[in-house]
Amino acid sequence: MSAWQKSGWVGTTVTLVGAALAAGSFSGASTVQGSFGNVASANPRTGVQNNVLSAGLTQTSVAWGSLPLTNPDTANGVTYYGYDTANGGSLTQDAHEAYKTEPDKNVYLVLNGHHYLYQGHETGPRGYVTRIDLDQTDPAKRVSLVSDVDAAGAALPTFDGITWDPFSQQLLLTAEAKAPKGGVWGVTLDADGNPTTGAAVALPALGSGGLEGIQNDADGNVWLVEDIGGANVAGANGKKPNSYVYRFVPVDKADLTKGGALQALQVARADGSPVTASQLSANPSDQVITDLHTYGSTFATTWVTVHDGTAAFDATGAAATAGATPFKRPENGVFRPGTAFGEFYFTETGDTSATSTLPGAFGAVFRLVQSSPSAATGTLSPAWVGDVTHTGFDNIAFAGSDQLLVVEDAGDALHQQRNALDSGYVVDLRGSDNKAKKVTRFLAEGRDASALFDATTNPGYNDGDNEITGIHVSDGDPTVAGILGAKTPKLTDGSWRTFWTQQHGDNVTWEVSVAGGRHGDEDHSGKS
């Protein structure tokens, strides 16, 4: 039996329960594509819990933490998919266990007939990038190391966000750390999906800060979403807004090393004056924060330039100086299909505390509407306002033109406060913007035995409860026509595939299949 099976999971392909999902309902023929169904409730934060998904969905493990890398960097402990063994520790459930690397966001690409899933790794003594070969049936041969060094041969920072840039033919990865450590790195791939040099190249013109979400648009711009918690507000159990939404406009979209202009989103008050960092720092209970989290409200926006050129700089500080508007830990963003990249949705995590008394404490999903992806102005409104039961919003993906998948990363403290582990939701974007949208739960995440161990006896350098991350829906098209948001997903046509990563614990990455889809009956896990 594998360590994964010993951790409380049974079988290789898990069929899950919930409300009914009609096979083939995600036809893509219209804006109405059915529903994922409804899982009644989140799992409680007690013991080991299994994942629960809507009926009609199955999940199959495509990789897990203890899988060896086919080309390890043994000298630096980069030897397994989900563990760095530089400290010589065992792989799981030991007082001196190895470092968990936390594979994070997913990028699915089909390159010369090869089906690959790429990920950055978020924690541990050094960062690295891996590739899962989805065509490989032998798990021991499935995961390879793409890069763990920069152009000078030095260790990489740990990575959170990732996207594929078809203009420059590279994976773009974000390091979520305050300047000067955070920023964006690029790894160029050849036509077969192999790294051309094995090195990640720093792209300082895109700024340094706690960058997480990263996404291209059809014009070649790079959109960035920052996640840095602000200063604590005394007596409020919450924090000041401190993170920004950016757009990088390159001089040459095929070569990001040539630099360009980094812009940050600025929100205007009703009187036309900007909402700035200095204002919200002085008054973190400013009425405008409440208004931003009120259904039916709409705010004018503009992009302000915070830096232009190729030199390294502090993006967070530059955005504050330029008068951009900070949010309460925005994390990820994606364009809505069928809008010609005119609607950008991004998540805001909030304070991740059930006892916060600040406005906007539970975050939101915001919608930015523009006439084009390069437009200078637009409007911002809340698409979904969080509450204590639905908060910690993190990764985001479209399953259809109207179906927005949003997953939680609430953290151990909030899990304990509400006695509920994380969930994944589908938001139906149809209907009036003046009231809450229909939201159903398609995933109640469980907790594996390794995560339970880390949550109760961890040695201090590994996380606790499992976290949902990396929700990703793509047909793998590596061309400009395949940028997320350019096409409407069709989850049963055999080409669109859905992935998510159950971070922490055993670090399992799953493929989710819809009943009637080609991948629903295939088991690529190799487990027995």
Side-chain angles (χ1 to χ4, degrees), residues 269 275-276 279-280 283-291 359:
R269 298 176 185 270
V275 180
T276 66
Q279 295 168 354
L280 300 189
N283 180 16
S285 294
D286 193 312
Q287 179 62 37
V288 74
I289 302 178
T290 297
D291 296 341

Side-chain angles (χ1 to χ4, degrees), residues 31-32 34 402-404 426-431 437-440:
T31 57
V32 180
D402 300 315
Q403 283 76 28
L404 179 63
V426 56
V427 183
D428 186 341
L429 295 176
R430 296 170 296 170
K437 304 294 187 183
K438 179 181 179 182
V439 176
T440 54

Side-chain angles (χ1 to χ4, degrees), residues 62 107-118 130-137 141-144 189 191-194 474-478 494-497 499 511 518-519 522 524:
V62 297
V107 163
Y108 170 57
L109 294 174
V110 181
L111 297 162
N112 275 352
H114 305 288
H115 301 78
Y116 293 131
L117 196 67
Y118 296 87
T130 53
R131 184 186 72 187
I132 302 170
D133 183 348
L134 298 169
D135 302 319
Q136 175 58 251
T137 58
K141 300 177 181 179
R142 187 175 299 162
V143 186
S144 60
L189 303 180
D192 292 315
N194 301 311
S474 171
D475 67 351
D477 184 349
S495 60
W496 288 85
R497 301 175 74 167
F499 301 91
E511 178 170 6
R518 182 186 66 180
H519 301 289
E522 296 180 7
H524 300 289

Side-chain angles (χ1 to χ4, degrees), residues 123-177:
T123 64
R126 65 190 292 143
Y128 57 91
V129 187
T130 53
R131 184 186 72 187
I132 302 170
D133 183 348
L134 298 169
D135 302 319
Q136 175 58 251
T137 58
D138 182 352
K141 300 177 181 179
R142 187 175 299 162
V143 186
S144 60
L145 176 63
V146 173
S147 177
D148 72 336
V149 295
D150 66 13
L156 295 174
T158 56
F159 293 125
D160 195 320
I162 186 174
T163 195
W164 169 248
D165 182 356
F167 300 101
S168 62
Q169 294 291 293
Q170 61 184 334
L171 297 167
L172 299 179
L173 297 114
T174 56
E176 185 188 356

Side-chain angles (χ1 to χ4, degrees), residues 265 267 288-301 327 336 343-348 360 362-369 379-386 393 396 404 427-437 439:
L265 191 67
V267 179
V288 74
I289 302 178
T290 297
D291 296 341
L292 276 167
H293 296 81
T294 300
Y295 290 113
S297 61
T298 301
F299 295 81
T301 62
F327 295 85
R336 185 178 186 177
E343 289 189 24
F344 183 73
Y345 288 73
F346 64 91
T347 54
E348 182 191 48
F362 304 115
V365 178
F366 288 106
R367 174 178 53 245
L368 177 64
V369 179
T379 58
L380 184 73
S381 58
W384 185 24
V385 178
F393 302 141
I396 188 171
L404 179 63
V427 183
D428 186 341
L429 295 176
R430 296 170 296 170
S432 172
D433 292 334
N434 294 320
K435 60 181 181 180
K437 304 294 187 183
V439 176

Side-chain angles (χ1 to χ4, degrees), residues 21-30 32-37 57 398-405 426 488-493 496 514-515:
L21 171 69
S25 61
F26 286 87
S27 66
S30 68
V32 180
Q33 294 197 38
S35 171
F36 267 106
L57 302 182
F398 274 95
S401 58
D402 300 315
Q403 283 76 28
L404 179 63
L405 306 182
V426 56
T488 300
K490 301 176 182 179
L491 300 189
T492 59
D493 77 348
W496 288 85
V514 180

